[in-house]
Amino acid sequence: MTPNIVIINPDQLRWDYLSCYGHKFIKTKNIDLLAQMGTLFEHAFASAPMCGPSRVSFLTGQYPIEHGVRQYGGQYDQSKPNALKVLGDAGYRRAIWGKDHCFKGNVIGSLYDEGEDICIGIMGQNPNYINAWDSAELPTDSEWNLTKRLTDNGIDFIKRNANGEQPFFLTLNYQDPHPFFTCPEPYCSLFDASQFDLPSNYRNSPVENEIRRLTHWRIHSGETNMPIDGLKRAMAMYCGQIRYVDDQVGRILGTLKNLDLLDNTIIVFWSDHGEFIGDFGVTHKIPAFYECLMRVPLIVYDPTNRLPKGKNSNLVELMDGMATALDLCGLTQPKGSHALSQISENCTRKDIYADAGMLLQQPKEPIDGLRIKGALAPTPYGPGSMLRNSEWKICMYADDCGELYNIVHDPKETKNLFYEPQYNEIKTTMMNRLTQRMMCFGQMPERLPRGDY
């Protein structure tokens, strides 16, 4: 019997804000249960730290340098190869509830057979959202309270298709825990600001060799003057948003179990990128490659047991999660995909590649008087790319500082070693490998197809 597929995609969820990934007190019991049932990838990375580029990479197996989407959603041509077309051609009944953030035009009736494509951005019109770090309770009846409603619709879709002749594909793409930091009761009161400590890499001013885009964002967002209690309240609300998502995961698992569908449904839980939430003294995200933005949760439940269960410590890219789901269903990858199914032979990666940033110049200096509460212009400007292996990370930008970090000894990326002479050899090695991958549009050069010889 052809497996069904359920994708659960919270937006802007850090890997280390789940208890199954080591958070000390958040208690995400349902996501933890999914991890116990399936495979938790400990070192999974986004293709970009921005929503649209990362999501397009997940569905195409291509990097932003190749697919060309470098900012928020709605830019990718539906006619180009993608996983949704593969699923449709294979006879899947496809549905989405939540933000698509990938394709030009209306996706309902073309790439999806039914659903609701809804994106509410950062809720900029909410009267309680004045500063980038603000948090507040969201009334249950608010038009912005989407997470439960989207889940209700997704569960209804599962029930209607439980005994259908077609296998189903459902993706639930939640707003939470994306800023504005807000959620309804009881979630907004689950955590208190006093539970949170400042991250060890917190700072409210630049340090030596800090990239300009980070300095500019700290100034443009007003977070040079962010009150500590305000940040801690945002951290508490961020956790509340995650628990809101966690309860929806429990509802989905319960529905699949009650309908006897768990034994024939692949589940992929992932997030498109992370969130600063206090790292480096800021919130939100920018086109930079810090661990808090790039390292993300990826959990795959495989009822066929071909994917080894438990914790997987390999380096993987998010696109590999979608590739694995397709492979488990016996489907081919979209044409041009560079993703690696984790049940295929030789599926390991020795390093991770990512790129981001619009092809526009980052300002040389912060713009006097500019105050923004989300990653609006000029925050997304300035292309850059990253190479990360198990020990080192290098980041290069077209118009900014270079960065080199030893991830083993400096996991919070507090010391940029790019300009330290004693690291020239490792820097050169990393730069060469990064250049090779850029030449191959992100693909590993050793995996290029063989020519006719």
Side-chain angles (χ1 to χ4, degrees):
M1 180 181 267
T2 304
N4 307 305
I5 303 174
V6 172
I7 307 288
I8 306 172
N9 174 207
D11 192 343
Q12 208 148 317
L13 172 59
R14 286 173 58 133
W15 70 279
D16 54 352
Y17 268 68
L18 299 172
S19 44
C20 55
Y21 279 93
H23 196 279
K24 294 181 180 179
F25 56 78
I26 195 169
K27 296 181 180 178
T28 46
K29 63 178 182 180
N30 297 300
I31 299 170
D32 293 0
L33 174 61
L34 181 62
Q36 293 166 12
M37 293 165 51
T39 305
L40 180 148
F41 292 92
E42 296 181 295
H43 298 94
F45 295 86
S47 297
M50 311 295 280
C51 305
S54 178
R55 291 166 186 252
V56 174
S57 292
F58 183 77
L59 292 176
T60 64
Q62 297 182 356
Y63 301 92
I65 195 173
E66 185 169 11
H67 62 58
V69 177
R70 308 192 67 85
Q71 178 53 329
Y72 300 117
Q75 301 175 52
Y76 194 70
D77 188 339
Q78 294 189 28
S79 67
K80 292 182 178 179
N82 64 78
L84 300 171
K85 289 172 67 69
V86 172
L87 290 162
D89 291 343
Y92 275 76
R93 181 77 182 171
R94 302 158 298 172
I96 180 174
W97 270 276
K99 60 179 74 173
D100 164 62
H101 240 26
C102 294
F103 297 98
K104 294 178 183 177
N106 186 6
V107 294
I108 311 301
S110 54
L111 295 178
Y112 295 98
D113 300 292
E114 61 178 285
E116 179 184 11
D117 176 10
I118 180 170
C119 177
I120 57 175
I122 59 172
M123 294 183 241
Q125 301 305 311
N126 191 305
N128 294 314
Y129 191 30
I130 300 169
N131 303 296
W133 62 86
D134 281 341
S135 60
E137 178 184 348
L138 186 67
T140 302
D141 61 355
S142 169
E143 63 179 309
W144 293 306
N145 182 21
L146 297 177
T147 298
K148 180 181 182 300
R149 179 173 70 78
L150 296 174
T151 308
D152 291 344
N153 290 330
I155 287 174
D156 177 68
F157 172 82
I158 292 172
K159 290 178 177 178
R160 286 187 285 107
N161 289 274
N163 299 308
E165 295 182 359
Q166 296 174 267
F168 64 78
F169 171 87
L170 168 66
T171 182
L172 289 164
N173 297 355
Y174 297 126
Q175 169 81 6
D176 291 304
H178 192 287
F180 168 43
F181 301 108
T182 182
C183 55
E185 288 285 11
Y187 305 100
C188 71
S189 299
L190 286 178
F191 303 93
D192 187 81
S194 63
Q195 295 178 257
F196 296 86
D197 297 320
L198 290 179
S200 60
N201 59 1
Y202 174 85
R203 57 186 188 243
N204 61 4
S205 60
V207 297
E208 186 179 12
N209 297 325
E210 178 177 282
I211 54 174
R212 288 201 316 276
R213 61 195 62 206
L214 174 56
T215 305
H216 292 173
W217 167 242
R218 191 184 295 113
I219 294 170
H220 292 154
S221 64
E223 291 179 322
T224 51
N225 299 310
M226 177 170 51
I228 298 302
D229 62 339
L231 171 59
K232 289 185 176 181
R233 285 196 299 270
M235 296 167 79
M237 192 67 72
Y238 185 71
C239 285
Q241 291 175 290
I242 295 167
R243 282 286 295 272
Y244 192 12
V245 170
D246 184 66
D247 276 358
Q248 310 316 305
V249 173
R251 295 178 65 208
I252 296 162
L253 292 178
T255 298
L256 293 171
K257 181 179 179 180
N258 292 337
L259 295 172
D260 293 324
L261 292 175
L262 270 178
D263 289 342
N264 194 46
T265 303
I266 296 159
I267 305 171
V268 180
F269 179 93
W270 71 292
S271 184
D272 50 359
H273 55 78
E275 156 70 47
F276 278 120
I277 201 66
D279 280 26
F280 310 105
V282 295
T283 59
H284 288 252
K285 78 262 185 179
I286 62 174
F289 304 100
Y290 299 113
E291 294 286 283
C292 59
L293 301 181
M294 296 302 300
R295 190 172 171 183
V296 286
L298 176 63
I299 301 170
V300 179
Y301 168 67
D302 166 28
T304 73
N305 295 315
R306 284 176 286 169
L307 180 66
K309 297 186 184 302
K311 292 185 177 180
N312 183 310
S313 61
N314 293 338
L315 294 173
V316 298
E317 297 179 352
L318 279 178
M319 62 175 73
D320 300 341
M322 189 69 224
T324 302
L326 292 176
D327 199 8
L328 288 169
C329 297
L331 303 177
T332 59
Q333 305 303 315
K335 184 178 180 181
S337 171
H338 311 311
L340 300 181
S341 164
Q342 294 302 294
I343 64 167
S344 64
E345 294 184 8
N346 192 21
C347 63
T348 58
R349 296 181 180 274
K350 70 177 184 179
D351 45 43
I352 298 294
Y353 173 83
D355 64 275
M358 297 176 69
L359 302 181
L360 296 167
Q361 291 185 19
Q362 181 74 208
K364 300 298 183 185
E365 301 291 340
I367 298 172
D368 188 43
L370 177 64
R371 289 294 179 269
I372 50 179
K373 54 190 176 186
L376 306 175
T379 309
Y381 295 174
S385 57
M386 176 201 85
L387 184 81
R388 186 205 192 276
N389 58 32
S390 59
E391 184 177 5
W392 293 93
K393 175 192 288 185
I394 192 166
C395 309
M396 298 291 295
Y397 301 93
D399 57 356
D400 214 327
C401 299
E403 292 180 294
L404 180 69
Y405 298 105
N406 186 307
I407 299 300
V408 174
H409 299 299
D410 182 22
K412 286 293 189 176
E413 299 163 296
T414 60
K415 178 66 173 176
N416 182 3
L417 305 174
F418 191 88
Y419 299 99
E420 300 288 336
Q422 62 267 41
Y423 297 101
N424 281 345
E425 184 175 352
I426 185 65
K427 179 172 71 173
T428 299
T429 300
M430 295 291 287
M431 288 179 70
N432 285 343
R433 175 67 175 180
L434 174 59
T435 303
Q436 290 170 346
R437 291 200 65 168
M438 289 181 69
M439 288 178 180
C440 302
F441 295 107
Q443 185 177 184
M444 292 179 285
E446 59 270 23
R447 289 184 175 271
L448 289 172
R450 295 180 65 88
D452 295 329
Y453 56 87

